[in-house]
Every structure is written in structure tokens, then in C-alpha cells.
Amino acid sequence: QRGGDRALETAVVDAMTTNETSWFRDSSPYEALRERVLPDRIAANASRRQLAIWSAACSTGQEPYSVAMLIDAFFPELQGWTVDLLATDLSESVLERAREARFTSLEINRGLPAPHLLQYFERDGANFRLTERLTVGSAGILLVGSAVGNVAVDNDQCRPVGRAQKGTEGPG
């Protein structure tokens, strides 16, 4: 029966999920996105000027933020488009960390290219925080819980998986 102890449910989900992630995890999906998937979707959606990507099991956010960096770096033609990147996970605790967009040096060193660190992050004490360029501006990322409902997506592969939105104006 649902509706019981929410804290217990959260603890069970957190204990059962691996929350394994890194920047640009496994290069082949990102290569496929850059070379085939996104160019095809951009051509197919040119009249609507909208793109949607869903990043399922996003953990602490490295994978959807990697997709946002890829879009920002390689697809300037998406300026003025609506690009929605929907990131979901079963674990509320890792989603909260993803919403903070704040990462330790150890997390940064797990796959983030140095030029991306300089371009998309700022120091936050001993940690690093994504700049508004990614969290607000060029690729808007919506981090929600596990219940998605009916979501229309252009791409929903498993690593990265996604629903994405790139805004028309934004800082940076």
C-alpha cells in the first residue's frame, strides 16, 4: 500500500539505486548525438524550432549537463530554438544535488574536459558550480522526480537519454 512512510520510501530508493555517473560517460552515445541524432532531429524539427531530450536516471546531473554542453558547443544554430532537456531520476536526493549544479573536485575529474571546466564552471569554495550559461541560459534543464507522465521526446536513448530545451535568450 502506497502513501506510507515517505522517509522510508526515500531511504529504500536511495539504497537500491547505484547513482553512478560521470561527465560524457561512454563516448559513443555522445558521438552519436553530435554526428547523427541531433543533426537529424534538428533537420526534422526546423519548421517548429523545438527540440526535446529526456535524460532518464540522471543521478547527480553530469550526463544531462554533458548533453547541454555538447549542444552549446556544437549546435550554435539552435540559438532561438526551444530546446528542453528533461532530467529525471528515482532518487530525490541525487536530483537535489543535480539541481544544485555543484560538484566536488573528484566529480569534476571524472571525465570533464579541462576546457569545459573553464567555460562552464566557477569556483564555489572547494567545489565547482555550473555557471548560469548552462543552468538558465542556452540549454534550460528541468530536473524533476520519477513521475514523468506523457512526454513527447525527440531522443530517448539510455545513456544519455533526454528531453531537452535550448532557450532563445540567456546569460552568457
Side-chain angles (χ1 to χ4, degrees), residues 32-96:
L33 278 172
R34 188 180 75 241
E35 295 170 5
R36 293 184 307 280
V37 176
L38 288 174
D40 289 351
R41 298 303 356 156
I42 290 167
N45 294 349
S47 64
R48 294 183 310 153
R49 299 176 56 84
Q50 294 179 340
L51 183 65
I53 300 173
W54 174 24
S55 179
C58 76
S59 190
T60 52
Q62 286 90 324
E63 292 177 15
Y65 289 128
S66 294
V67 172
M69 289 179 216
L70 181 139
I71 289 170
D72 186 67
F74 290 99
F75 297 96
E77 66 271 28
L78 293 178
Q79 277 303 332
W81 281 48
T82 298
V83 181
D84 295 315
L85 178 53
L86 174 67
T88 62
D89 199 281
L90 293 174
S91 171
E92 279 299 321
S93 63
V94 295
L95 274 177
E96 185 53 40

Short mmCIF file of all heavy atoms in Angstrom, two decimals, residues 32-96:
data_model
loop_
_atom_site.label_atom_id
_atom_site.label_comp_id
_atom_site.label_asym_id
_atom_site.label_seq_id
_atom_site.Cartn_x
_atom_site.Cartn_y
_atom_site.Cartn_z
N ALA A 32 27.36 9.78 -31.19
CA ALA A 32 26.13 9.54 -31.96
C ALA A 32 25.21 10.75 -31.89
O ALA A 32 24.63 11.16 -32.91
CB ALA A 32 25.40 8.30 -31.45
N LEU A 33 25.07 11.34 -30.71
CA LEU A 33 24.26 12.55 -30.59
C LEU A 33 24.80 13.67 -31.48
O LEU A 33 24.06 14.31 -32.21
CB LEU A 33 24.22 13.04 -29.14
CG LEU A 33 23.24 12.38 -28.21
CD1 LEU A 33 23.45 12.85 -26.78
CD2 LEU A 33 21.80 12.66 -28.64
N ARG A 34 26.10 13.91 -31.41
CA ARG A 34 26.73 15.00 -32.14
C ARG A 34 26.72 14.77 -33.65
O ARG A 34 26.44 15.69 -34.42
CB ARG A 34 28.16 15.22 -31.64
CG ARG A 34 28.81 16.47 -32.24
CD ARG A 34 30.23 16.68 -31.77
NE ARG A 34 31.12 15.73 -32.43
CZ ARG A 34 31.85 14.82 -31.80
NH1 ARG A 34 31.81 14.70 -30.50
NH2 ARG A 34 32.63 14.00 -32.47
N GLU A 35 27.00 13.55 -34.08
CA GLU A 35 27.19 13.31 -35.50
C GLU A 35 25.93 12.90 -36.25
O GLU A 35 25.82 13.18 -37.44
CB GLU A 35 28.26 12.23 -35.69
CG GLU A 35 29.62 12.68 -35.19
CD GLU A 35 30.65 11.56 -35.14
OE1 GLU A 35 30.34 10.44 -35.59
OE2 GLU A 35 31.75 11.81 -34.63
N ARG A 36 24.99 12.23 -35.58
CA ARG A 36 23.82 11.72 -36.30
C ARG A 36 22.48 12.14 -35.69
O ARG A 36 21.64 12.71 -36.37
CB ARG A 36 23.87 10.19 -36.36
CG ARG A 36 25.00 9.65 -37.21
CD ARG A 36 24.96 8.13 -37.33
NE ARG A 36 24.91 7.41 -36.06
CZ ARG A 36 25.95 7.17 -35.27
NH1 ARG A 36 27.14 7.60 -35.61
NH2 ARG A 36 25.81 6.49 -34.16
N VAL A 37 22.30 11.86 -34.42
CA VAL A 37 20.98 12.02 -33.80
C VAL A 37 20.54 13.48 -33.81
O VAL A 37 19.45 13.81 -34.32
CB VAL A 37 20.95 11.44 -32.38
CG1 VAL A 37 19.61 11.70 -31.71
CG2 VAL A 37 21.25 9.94 -32.42
N LEU A 38 21.35 14.36 -33.24
CA LEU A 38 20.94 15.76 -33.17
C LEU A 38 20.83 16.42 -34.55
O LEU A 38 19.85 17.11 -34.81
CB LEU A 38 21.84 16.55 -32.23
CG LEU A 38 21.63 16.23 -30.75
CD1 LEU A 38 22.67 16.94 -29.88
CD2 LEU A 38 20.22 16.58 -30.30
N PRO A 39 21.79 16.21 -35.46
CA PRO A 39 21.59 16.80 -36.80
C PRO A 39 20.31 16.31 -37.48
O PRO A 39 19.59 17.12 -38.10
CB PRO A 39 22.84 16.34 -37.58
CG PRO A 39 23.88 16.18 -36.52
CD PRO A 39 23.14 15.63 -35.33
N ASP A 40 19.98 15.04 -37.32
CA ASP A 40 18.73 14.52 -37.90
C ASP A 40 17.51 15.17 -37.25
O ASP A 40 16.55 15.54 -37.92
CB ASP A 40 18.63 13.00 -37.72
CG ASP A 40 19.61 12.24 -38.61
OD1 ASP A 40 20.24 12.87 -39.49
OD2 ASP A 40 19.75 11.02 -38.41
N ARG A 41 17.53 15.29 -35.91
CA ARG A 41 16.39 15.87 -35.19
C ARG A 41 16.27 17.36 -35.50
O ARG A 41 15.17 17.89 -35.60
CB ARG A 41 16.54 15.67 -33.68
CG ARG A 41 16.55 14.23 -33.21
CD ARG A 41 15.37 13.34 -33.57
NE ARG A 41 14.32 14.03 -34.26
CZ ARG A 41 13.41 13.50 -35.08
NH1 ARG A 41 13.35 12.23 -35.30
NH2 ARG A 41 12.51 14.21 -35.69
N ILE A 42 17.40 18.04 -35.65
CA ILE A 42 17.38 19.47 -35.97
C ILE A 42 16.75 19.67 -37.35
O ILE A 42 15.89 20.53 -37.53
CB ILE A 42 18.79 20.07 -35.89
CG1 ILE A 42 19.23 20.12 -34.43
CG2 ILE A 42 18.84 21.45 -36.54
CD1 ILE A 42 20.71 20.40 -34.24
N ALA A 43 17.15 18.84 -38.31
CA ALA A 43 16.57 18.94 -39.66
C ALA A 43 15.07 18.64 -39.64
O ALA A 43 14.28 19.35 -40.27
CB ALA A 43 17.29 17.98 -40.61
N ALA A 44 14.67 17.62 -38.89
CA ALA A 44 13.26 17.23 -38.83
C ALA A 44 12.41 18.28 -38.12
O ALA A 44 11.21 18.41 -38.41
CB ALA A 44 13.11 15.88 -38.13
N ASN A 45 13.00 19.03 -37.18
CA ASN A 45 12.24 19.99 -36.38
C ASN A 45 12.47 21.44 -36.79
O ASN A 45 12.05 22.35 -36.07
CB ASN A 45 12.58 19.82 -34.90
CG ASN A 45 12.14 18.49 -34.35
OD1 ASN A 45 11.39 17.76 -34.98
ND2 ASN A 45 12.61 18.16 -33.17
N ALA A 46 13.10 21.65 -37.93
CA ALA A 46 13.45 23.01 -38.34
C ALA A 46 12.25 23.94 -38.43
O ALA A 46 12.34 25.11 -38.04
CB ALA A 46 14.19 22.98 -39.68
N SER A 47 11.12 23.47 -38.89
CA SER A 47 9.95 24.34 -39.02
C SER A 47 9.36 24.72 -37.66
O SER A 47 8.85 25.82 -37.48
CB SER A 47 8.88 23.69 -39.89
OG SER A 47 8.39 22.51 -39.28
N ARG A 48 9.47 23.82 -36.67
CA ARG A 48 8.95 24.10 -35.33
C ARG A 48 9.95 24.82 -34.44
O ARG A 48 9.57 25.44 -33.46
CB ARG A 48 8.54 22.81 -34.62
CG ARG A 48 7.38 22.10 -35.26
CD ARG A 48 6.99 20.87 -34.47
NE ARG A 48 8.16 20.04 -34.19
CZ ARG A 48 8.27 19.22 -33.16
NH1 ARG A 48 7.32 19.13 -32.29
NH2 ARG A 48 9.35 18.49 -32.99
N ARG A 49 11.25 24.65 -34.77
CA ARG A 49 12.33 25.23 -33.97
C ARG A 49 12.23 24.81 -32.50
O ARG A 49 12.37 25.61 -31.60
CB ARG A 49 12.37 26.75 -34.12
CG ARG A 49 12.62 27.17 -35.58
CD ARG A 49 12.59 28.66 -35.80
NE ARG A 49 13.50 29.43 -34.98
CZ ARG A 49 14.79 29.65 -35.24
NH1 ARG A 49 15.33 29.12 -36.30
NH2 ARG A 49 15.53 30.38 -34.44
N GLN A 50 11.97 23.50 -32.31
CA GLN A 50 11.88 22.92 -30.98
C GLN A 50 12.62 21.59 -30.96
O GLN A 50 12.56 20.84 -31.93
CB GLN A 50 10.43 22.67 -30.58
CG GLN A 50 9.61 23.91 -30.41
CD GLN A 50 8.18 23.57 -30.04
OE1 GLN A 50 7.71 22.45 -30.25
NE2 GLN A 50 7.47 24.55 -29.49
N LEU A 51 13.26 21.31 -29.83
CA LEU A 51 13.96 20.05 -29.65
C LEU A 51 13.74 19.60 -28.22
O LEU A 51 13.81 20.41 -27.30
CB LEU A 51 15.46 20.23 -29.93
CG LEU A 51 16.33 18.99 -29.87
CD1 LEU A 51 15.97 18.01 -30.97
CD2 LEU A 51 17.79 19.39 -29.97
N ALA A 52 13.46 18.32 -28.04
CA ALA A 52 13.22 17.78 -26.70
C ALA A 52 14.09 16.55 -26.48
O ALA A 52 14.10 15.63 -27.29
CB ALA A 52 11.75 17.41 -26.54
N ILE A 53 14.82 16.54 -25.35
CA ILE A 53 15.67 15.41 -24.98
C ILE A 53 15.38 15.05 -23.53
O ILE A 53 15.27 15.93 -22.68
CB ILE A 53 17.17 15.74 -25.15
CG1 ILE A 53 17.48 16.10 -26.59
CG2 ILE A 53 18.03 14.57 -24.69
CD1 ILE A 53 18.89 16.60 -26.82
N TRP A 54 15.28 13.76 -23.24
CA TRP A 54 14.99 13.30 -21.89
C TRP A 54 16.16 12.50 -21.37
O TRP A 54 16.57 11.51 -21.97
CB TRP A 54 13.71 12.46 -21.92
CG TRP A 54 13.36 11.79 -20.63
CD1 TRP A 54 13.73 12.17 -19.36
CD2 TRP A 54 12.56 10.63 -20.48
NE1 TRP A 54 13.19 11.31 -18.44
CE2 TRP A 54 12.47 10.35 -19.10
CE3 TRP A 54 11.90 9.80 -21.38
CZ2 TRP A 54 11.75 9.28 -18.60
CZ3 TRP A 54 11.18 8.73 -20.89
CH2 TRP A 54 11.11 8.49 -19.51
N SER A 55 16.72 12.90 -20.25
CA SER A 55 17.82 12.19 -19.61
C SER A 55 17.27 11.43 -18.42
O SER A 55 17.09 11.97 -17.34
CB SER A 55 18.89 13.18 -19.16
OG SER A 55 19.95 12.50 -18.52
N ALA A 56 16.98 10.15 -18.63
CA ALA A 56 16.44 9.30 -17.56
C ALA A 56 17.58 8.80 -16.70
O ALA A 56 18.70 8.63 -17.17
CB ALA A 56 15.67 8.13 -18.16
N ALA A 57 17.31 8.56 -15.43
CA ALA A 57 18.32 8.10 -14.48
C ALA A 57 19.52 9.04 -14.48
O ALA A 57 20.67 8.63 -14.59
CB ALA A 57 18.73 6.66 -14.79
N CYS A 58 19.23 10.33 -14.34
CA CYS A 58 20.27 11.36 -14.48
C CYS A 58 21.20 11.48 -13.30
O CYS A 58 22.21 12.16 -13.37
CB CYS A 58 19.63 12.71 -14.77
SG CYS A 58 18.90 13.50 -13.33
N SER A 59 20.88 10.83 -12.19
CA SER A 59 21.71 10.86 -10.99
C SER A 59 21.99 12.30 -10.57
O SER A 59 21.07 13.11 -10.53
CB SER A 59 22.98 10.05 -11.20
OG SER A 59 23.67 9.88 -9.97
N THR A 60 23.24 12.64 -10.31
CA THR A 60 23.57 13.97 -9.82
C THR A 60 23.75 15.00 -10.93
O THR A 60 24.16 16.12 -10.67
CB THR A 60 24.83 13.92 -8.93
OG1 THR A 60 25.87 13.26 -9.63
CG2 THR A 60 24.56 13.19 -7.62
N GLY A 61 23.42 14.62 -12.16
CA GLY A 61 23.32 15.60 -13.25
C GLY A 61 24.43 15.65 -14.26
O GLY A 61 24.31 16.37 -15.25
N GLN A 62 25.51 14.89 -14.09
CA GLN A 62 26.61 15.01 -15.02
C GLN A 62 26.21 14.67 -16.46
O GLN A 62 26.66 15.33 -17.39
CB GLN A 62 27.80 14.13 -14.59
CG GLN A 62 28.57 14.69 -13.41
CD GLN A 62 28.06 14.22 -12.08
OE1 GLN A 62 26.86 14.04 -11.87
NE2 GLN A 62 28.96 14.03 -11.13
N GLU A 63 25.37 13.67 -16.65
CA GLU A 63 25.01 13.29 -18.01
C GLU A 63 24.12 14.34 -18.69
O GLU A 63 24.42 14.75 -19.81
CB GLU A 63 24.42 11.89 -18.04
CG GLU A 63 25.50 10.86 -17.71
CD GLU A 63 25.02 9.43 -17.63
OE1 GLU A 63 23.91 9.13 -18.09
OE2 GLU A 63 25.77 8.60 -17.08
N PRO A 64 23.03 14.81 -18.08
CA PRO A 64 22.26 15.85 -18.77
C PRO A 64 23.05 17.14 -18.95
O PRO A 64 22.92 17.81 -19.98
CB PRO A 64 21.03 16.05 -17.89
CG PRO A 64 21.36 15.46 -16.57
CD PRO A 64 22.36 14.38 -16.84
N TYR A 65 23.89 17.50 -17.98
CA TYR A 65 24.71 18.70 -18.15
C TYR A 65 25.73 18.49 -19.27
O TYR A 65 26.07 19.42 -19.99
CB TYR A 65 25.39 19.10 -16.84
CG TYR A 65 24.43 19.66 -15.82
CD1 TYR A 65 24.38 19.16 -14.53
CD2 TYR A 65 23.55 20.71 -16.14
CE1 TYR A 65 23.50 19.68 -13.58
CE2 TYR A 65 22.68 21.23 -15.20
CZ TYR A 65 22.65 20.71 -13.92
OH TYR A 65 21.78 21.23 -12.99
N SER A 66 26.22 17.26 -19.44
CA SER A 66 27.12 16.96 -20.56
C SER A 66 26.40 17.16 -21.89
O SER A 66 26.97 17.71 -22.84
CB SER A 66 27.64 15.52 -20.46
OG SER A 66 28.46 15.33 -19.33
N VAL A 67 25.15 16.73 -21.97
CA VAL A 67 24.35 16.94 -23.19
C VAL A 67 24.18 18.43 -23.44
O VAL A 67 24.31 18.91 -24.57
CB VAL A 67 22.98 16.23 -23.11
CG1 VAL A 67 22.10 16.61 -24.28
CG2 VAL A 67 23.17 14.72 -23.05
N ALA A 68 23.91 19.20 -22.38
CA ALA A 68 23.75 20.65 -22.53
C ALA A 68 25.04 21.29 -23.05
O ALA A 68 25.00 22.17 -23.92
CB ALA A 68 23.33 21.26 -21.20
N MET A 69 26.19 20.84 -22.55
CA MET A 69 27.48 21.36 -23.02
C MET A 69 27.70 21.00 -24.48
O MET A 69 28.17 21.83 -25.27
CB MET A 69 28.63 20.81 -22.17
CG MET A 69 28.68 21.36 -20.78
SD MET A 69 30.07 20.61 -19.89
CE MET A 69 29.36 20.50 -18.26
N LEU A 70 27.36 19.77 -24.85
CA LEU A 70 27.50 19.33 -26.24
C LEU A 70 26.65 20.21 -27.15
O LEU A 70 27.11 20.68 -28.20
CB LEU A 70 27.10 17.86 -26.36
CG LEU A 70 27.21 17.26 -27.74
CD1 LEU A 70 27.77 15.85 -27.63
CD2 LEU A 70 25.87 17.20 -28.42
N ILE A 71 25.41 20.45 -26.76
CA ILE A 71 24.51 21.30 -27.56
C ILE A 71 25.07 22.70 -27.67
O ILE A 71 25.12 23.29 -28.75
CB ILE A 71 23.09 21.30 -26.95
CG1 ILE A 71 22.43 19.94 -27.15
CG2 ILE A 71 22.24 22.41 -27.55
CD1 ILE A 71 21.13 19.75 -26.39
N ASP A 72 25.52 23.25 -26.55
CA ASP A 72 26.06 24.61 -26.55
C ASP A 72 27.30 24.73 -27.43
O ASP A 72 27.45 25.70 -28.17
CB ASP A 72 26.38 25.04 -25.11
CG ASP A 72 26.80 26.49 -25.02
OD1 ASP A 72 25.96 27.37 -25.29
OD2 ASP A 72 27.99 26.73 -24.69
N ALA A 73 28.18 23.73 -27.36
CA ALA A 73 29.45 23.79 -28.08
C ALA A 73 29.33 23.50 -29.57
O ALA A 73 30.06 24.10 -30.37
CB ALA A 73 30.44 22.80 -27.45
N PHE A 74 28.43 22.60 -29.96
CA PHE A 74 28.43 22.13 -31.34
C PHE A 74 27.21 22.55 -32.18
O PHE A 74 27.19 22.31 -33.38
CB PHE A 74 28.54 20.60 -31.39
CG PHE A 74 29.89 20.11 -30.96
CD1 PHE A 74 30.09 19.64 -29.67
CD2 PHE A 74 30.97 20.13 -31.83
CE1 PHE A 74 31.33 19.19 -29.25
CE2 PHE A 74 32.22 19.69 -31.43
CZ PHE A 74 32.40 19.21 -30.13
N PHE A 75 26.21 23.14 -31.57
CA PHE A 75 25.00 23.45 -32.32
C PHE A 75 24.55 24.90 -32.13
O PHE A 75 23.46 25.17 -31.62
CB PHE A 75 23.88 22.47 -31.94
CG PHE A 75 24.23 21.05 -32.30
CD1 PHE A 75 24.78 20.20 -31.35
CD2 PHE A 75 24.05 20.59 -33.59
CE1 PHE A 75 25.14 18.91 -31.69
CE2 PHE A 75 24.41 19.30 -33.94
CZ PHE A 75 24.95 18.45 -32.99
N PRO A 76 25.38 25.86 -32.58
CA PRO A 76 25.00 27.27 -32.44
C PRO A 76 23.74 27.61 -33.23
O PRO A 76 23.06 28.59 -32.91
CB PRO A 76 26.23 28.02 -32.99
CG PRO A 76 26.92 27.05 -33.88
CD PRO A 76 26.66 25.69 -33.28
N GLU A 77 23.41 26.79 -34.21
CA GLU A 77 22.19 27.03 -34.99
C GLU A 77 20.93 26.89 -34.15
O GLU A 77 19.84 27.27 -34.58
CB GLU A 77 22.12 26.11 -36.21
CG GLU A 77 21.96 24.63 -35.93
CD GLU A 77 23.27 23.87 -35.76
OE1 GLU A 77 24.27 24.47 -35.33
OE2 GLU A 77 23.27 22.66 -36.06
N LEU A 78 21.06 26.36 -32.94
CA LEU A 78 19.89 26.21 -32.08
C LEU A 78 19.57 27.48 -31.28
O LEU A 78 18.59 27.51 -30.55
CB LEU A 78 20.08 25.03 -31.12
CG LEU A 78 20.10 23.66 -31.80
CD1 LEU A 78 20.32 22.56 -30.78
CD2 LEU A 78 18.81 23.43 -32.56
N GLN A 79 20.40 28.53 -31.43
CA GLN A 79 20.05 29.81 -30.80
C GLN A 79 18.69 30.24 -31.34
O GLN A 79 18.45 30.19 -32.54
CB GLN A 79 21.08 30.90 -31.12
CG GLN A 79 22.28 30.88 -30.22
CD GLN A 79 21.93 31.01 -28.74
OE1 GLN A 79 20.92 31.58 -28.33
NE2 GLN A 79 22.78 30.44 -27.92
N GLY A 80 17.80 30.59 -30.46
CA GLY A 80 16.45 30.98 -30.87
C GLY A 80 15.47 29.83 -30.88
O GLY A 80 14.28 30.04 -31.08
N TRP A 81 15.95 28.62 -30.71
CA TRP A 81 15.08 27.44 -30.63
C TRP A 81 14.65 27.22 -29.18
O TRP A 81 15.30 27.66 -28.24
CB TRP A 81 15.84 26.20 -31.06
CG TRP A 81 15.99 26.00 -32.53
CD1 TRP A 81 16.40 26.91 -33.45
CD2 TRP A 81 15.77 24.78 -33.24
NE1 TRP A 81 16.46 26.33 -34.69
CE2 TRP A 81 16.08 25.03 -34.58
CE3 TRP A 81 15.36 23.52 -32.85
CZ2 TRP A 81 15.96 24.06 -35.55
CZ3 TRP A 81 15.26 22.54 -33.83
CH2 TRP A 81 15.55 22.80 -35.16
N THR A 82 13.59 26.47 -29.01
CA THR A 82 13.22 25.95 -27.70
C THR A 82 13.82 24.57 -27.61
O THR A 82 13.44 23.68 -28.37
CB THR A 82 11.69 25.88 -27.54
OG1 THR A 82 11.17 27.20 -27.65
CG2 THR A 82 11.31 25.29 -26.20
N VAL A 83 14.78 24.40 -26.71
CA VAL A 83 15.44 23.11 -26.51
C VAL A 83 15.23 22.73 -25.05
O VAL A 83 15.77 23.36 -24.16
CB VAL A 83 16.94 23.17 -26.85
CG1 VAL A 83 17.57 21.80 -26.65
CG2 VAL A 83 17.15 23.66 -28.26
N ASP A 84 14.42 21.72 -24.81
CA ASP A 84 14.10 21.27 -23.46
C ASP A 84 14.90 20.03 -23.11
O ASP A 84 14.85 19.05 -23.84
CB ASP A 84 12.61 20.90 -23.33
CG ASP A 84 11.70 22.08 -23.50
OD1 ASP A 84 11.99 23.14 -22.93
OD2 ASP A 84 10.70 21.94 -24.22
N LEU A 85 15.62 20.09 -22.01
CA LEU A 85 16.34 18.93 -21.51
C LEU A 85 15.70 18.54 -20.18
O LEU A 85 15.88 19.20 -19.17
CB LEU A 85 17.82 19.25 -21.33
CG LEU A 85 18.71 18.15 -20.76
CD1 LEU A 85 18.57 16.85 -21.54
CD2 LEU A 85 20.15 18.59 -20.75
N LEU A 86 14.93 17.49 -20.22
CA LEU A 86 14.24 16.98 -19.03
C LEU A 86 15.10 15.90 -18.40
O LEU A 86 15.44 14.92 -19.06
CB LEU A 86 12.88 16.41 -19.42
CG LEU A 86 12.09 15.73 -18.30
CD1 LEU A 86 11.66 16.74 -17.26
CD2 LEU A 86 10.90 15.00 -18.89
N ALA A 87 15.47 16.08 -17.15
CA ALA A 87 16.32 15.12 -16.45
C ALA A 87 15.54 14.54 -15.27
O ALA A 87 15.01 15.29 -14.46
CB ALA A 87 17.60 15.81 -15.97
N THR A 88 15.47 13.22 -15.21
CA THR A 88 14.71 12.56 -14.14
C THR A 88 15.56 11.49 -13.46
O THR A 88 16.53 10.99 -14.03
CB THR A 88 13.43 11.90 -14.69
OG1 THR A 88 13.80 10.89 -15.64
CG2 THR A 88 12.51 12.91 -15.36
N ASP A 89 15.16 11.15 -12.25
CA ASP A 89 15.79 10.06 -11.52
C ASP A 89 14.81 9.59 -10.46
O ASP A 89 13.95 10.35 -10.02
CB ASP A 89 17.09 10.53 -10.85
CG ASP A 89 17.98 9.35 -10.49
OD1 ASP A 89 17.72 8.68 -9.48
OD2 ASP A 89 18.92 9.08 -11.26
N LEU A 90 14.92 8.34 -10.06
CA LEU A 90 14.08 7.81 -8.99
C LEU A 90 14.46 8.38 -7.63
O LEU A 90 13.62 8.49 -6.74
CB LEU A 90 14.20 6.28 -8.92
CG LEU A 90 13.65 5.50 -10.09
CD1 LEU A 90 13.97 4.03 -9.93
CD2 LEU A 90 12.15 5.71 -10.21
N SER A 91 15.71 8.74 -7.46
CA SER A 91 16.21 9.20 -6.17
C SER A 91 16.09 10.71 -6.04
O SER A 91 16.74 11.47 -6.77
CB SER A 91 17.68 8.79 -6.01
OG SER A 91 18.23 9.40 -4.86
N GLU A 92 15.29 11.15 -5.09
CA GLU A 92 15.14 12.58 -4.84
C GLU A 92 16.44 13.20 -4.33
O GLU A 92 16.73 14.35 -4.62
CB GLU A 92 14.01 12.84 -3.84
CG GLU A 92 12.63 12.82 -4.46
CD GLU A 92 12.43 13.90 -5.53
OE1 GLU A 92 12.92 15.04 -5.37
OE2 GLU A 92 11.78 13.59 -6.54
N SER A 93 17.22 12.45 -3.57
CA SER A 93 18.45 13.02 -3.01
C SER A 93 19.47 13.35 -4.11
O SER A 93 20.13 14.39 -4.05
CB SER A 93 19.07 12.12 -1.95
OG SER A 93 19.45 10.88 -2.50
N VAL A 94 19.61 12.49 -5.12
CA VAL A 94 20.54 12.81 -6.19
C VAL A 94 19.98 13.91 -7.10
O VAL A 94 20.73 14.73 -7.61
CB VAL A 94 20.99 11.57 -7.02
CG1 VAL A 94 21.78 10.62 -6.17
CG2 VAL A 94 19.85 10.91 -7.72
N LEU A 95 18.66 13.95 -7.27
CA LEU A 95 18.07 15.04 -8.04
C LEU A 95 18.31 16.38 -7.37
O LEU A 95 18.57 17.39 -8.04
CB LEU A 95 16.56 14.83 -8.22
CG LEU A 95 16.12 13.99 -9.38
CD1 LEU A 95 14.61 13.82 -9.38
CD2 LEU A 95 16.57 14.60 -10.70
N GLU A 96 18.24 16.41 -6.06
CA GLU A 96 18.51 17.66 -5.33
C GLU A 96 19.95 18.10 -5.57
O GLU A 96 20.21 19.28 -5.81
CB GLU A 96 18.24 17.48 -3.83
CG GLU A 96 18.40 18.76 -3.05
CD GLU A 96 17.57 19.93 -3.59
OE1 GLU A 96 16.41 19.73 -4.01
OE2 GLU A 96 18.11 21.07 -3.62
#
